[in-house]
Amino acid sequence: MLRTLLLGCCLFISLSCHAGQTVVLIHGYLEDGSEWFKSGVVPILNRAGFNYLGHLAPQGFYPAHQTVNANPRYVYTLTLPSEAPILVQAQWLARYMQALQTRHPQNELILVGHSAGGVVARFSMVQMGLSANTLITIASPHLGTDKAEWGLMLGDSPFGFFAPFFGMDTINRSQALYYDLVREAPDTLLFWLNRHPHPPARYISIVRADNPQGITDTVVPAYSQDLNNVVSLQGQATTLQSVGTHALQPSDGLMLVAILFNLPMPNANPAR
């Protein structure tokens, strides 16, 4: 099915001849690509001059019906199996990216991951050789979260048996993902990932910082969201603070616009 998806995407899209930015928005747990619209992030990017070109899904590529302008700054959303383990989601992401890199071979690839999507993107770069120029994560559990441990406990309790009767079978389906996202310790996926060499790239983390108003992220603690706390990236990442809960919000779109416009654009005709 993944091979069919890749071939389908290539049939839907044609090669681009301009160098610019290909921005891929990667959703988190129990989300899909629509979260980037409902939160206002994609509309904000559109108003700033970024062209939303479409959505990548297991069924194929769904192109957008119009573009904002001729600037070679492109935005895509996608759908991942968000209850699946990190490895499975990373395999889907890598194959989606093969299609986009075929379409925009001269563009810089910029991955933007919210929550678990940021871990999926980083795992794809480290373990699967996904070649991205920039990784931007938003409220991602790079050092894990105790909420994943709660999910494991619920699944291993009598509640896990009764959960399907209350429409909460996601707890059972997500057990392998919860295991991947527990707080890092020896023999966990995050312990290995955080100590494995990372490829050269720009690493930027948007962190939900504690604030006097009491608005905070109750899902992932701030220290876990900071890429500079990843052993292999200490001193190499840029950390930006934001105020908010765990969910995506319009201010994330504004921060992305500022970040993306400050990244250097590639040469229009690079040597190949």
Side-chain angles (χ1 to χ4, degrees):
M1 185 175 184
L2 291 176
R3 183 174 298 175
T4 301
L5 164 70
L6 180 59
L7 292 174
C9 290
C10 291
L11 288 174
F12 270 109
I13 54 185
S14 60
L15 291 178
S16 171
C17 59
H18 300 291
Q21 295 173 331
T22 301
V23 181
V24 180
L25 304 177
I26 306 163
H27 62 81
Y29 177 54
L30 297 183
E31 297 177 347
D32 56 38
S34 67
E35 293 296 326
W36 298 98
F37 284 90
K38 290 186 289 186
S39 63
V41 172
V42 170
I44 287 171
L45 290 172
N46 275 161
R47 289 195 293 271
F50 287 83
N51 292 294
Y52 176 69
L53 294 192
H55 181 80
L56 294 155
Q59 297 80 14
F61 175 67
Y62 296 88
H65 297 295
Q66 62 183 14
T67 56
V68 177
N69 55 52
N71 290 334
R73 296 181 188 267
Y74 309 125
V75 177
Y76 293 86
T77 54
L78 50 75
T79 294
L80 294 175
S82 74
E83 298 172 320
I86 295 296
L87 173 61
V88 174
Q89 296 191 54
Q91 289 172 334
W92 278 92
L93 177 62
R95 284 162 176 79
Y96 284 144
M97 294 308 97
Q98 288 179 32
L100 292 189
Q101 289 174 316
T102 297
R103 181 180 189 187
H104 308 294
Q106 298 179 21
N107 275 19
E108 287 208 349
L109 177 61
I110 301 168
L111 304 179
V112 181
H114 173 238
S115 191
V119 178
V120 170
R122 188 159 63 92
F123 184 90
S124 297
M125 294 170 65
V126 171
Q127 175 65 12
M128 310 187 71
L130 176 58
S131 180
N133 301 90
T134 301
L135 171 64
I136 304 170
T137 65
I138 304 172
S140 292
H142 296 296
L143 276 68
T145 171
D146 64 344
K147 298 304 184 291
E149 295 157 28
W150 293 9
L152 285 174
M153 287 190 296
L154 285 173
D156 199 35
S157 72
F159 182 82
F161 176 80
F162 291 104
F165 299 101
F166 297 95
M168 300 180 66
D169 196 38
T170 182
I171 291 173
N172 297 321
R173 294 193 300 265
S174 304
Q175 288 294 293
L177 176 65
Y178 295 154
Y179 186 77
D180 286 346
L181 296 178
V182 298
R183 288 172 290 186
E184 66 166 9
D187 299 325
T188 64
L189 179 141
L190 289 178
F191 188 89
W192 171 87
L193 177 61
N194 291 345
R195 287 156 180 79
H196 201 82
H198 284 49
R202 306 181 195 94
Y203 293 92
I204 302 169
S205 50
I206 297 176
V207 175
R208 301 287 194 243
D210 295 333
N211 60 88
Q213 291 77 27
I215 303 172
T216 188
D217 188 332
T218 60
V219 178
V220 180
Y223 76 86
S224 183
Q225 302 175 27
D226 191 342
L227 281 168
N228 275 305
N229 290 330
V230 170
V231 172
S232 294
L233 292 176
Q234 288 179 349
Q236 302 177 48
T238 299
T239 300
L240 303 173
Q241 295 189 345
S242 67
V243 175
T245 60
H246 187 69
L248 287 167
Q249 55 195 24
S251 62
D252 293 324
L254 297 174
M255 293 188 76
L256 286 176
V257 169
I259 292 169
L260 295 171
F261 273 111
N262 278 287
L263 295 179
M265 291 281 279
N267 295 328
N269 295 293
R272 298 185 61 81

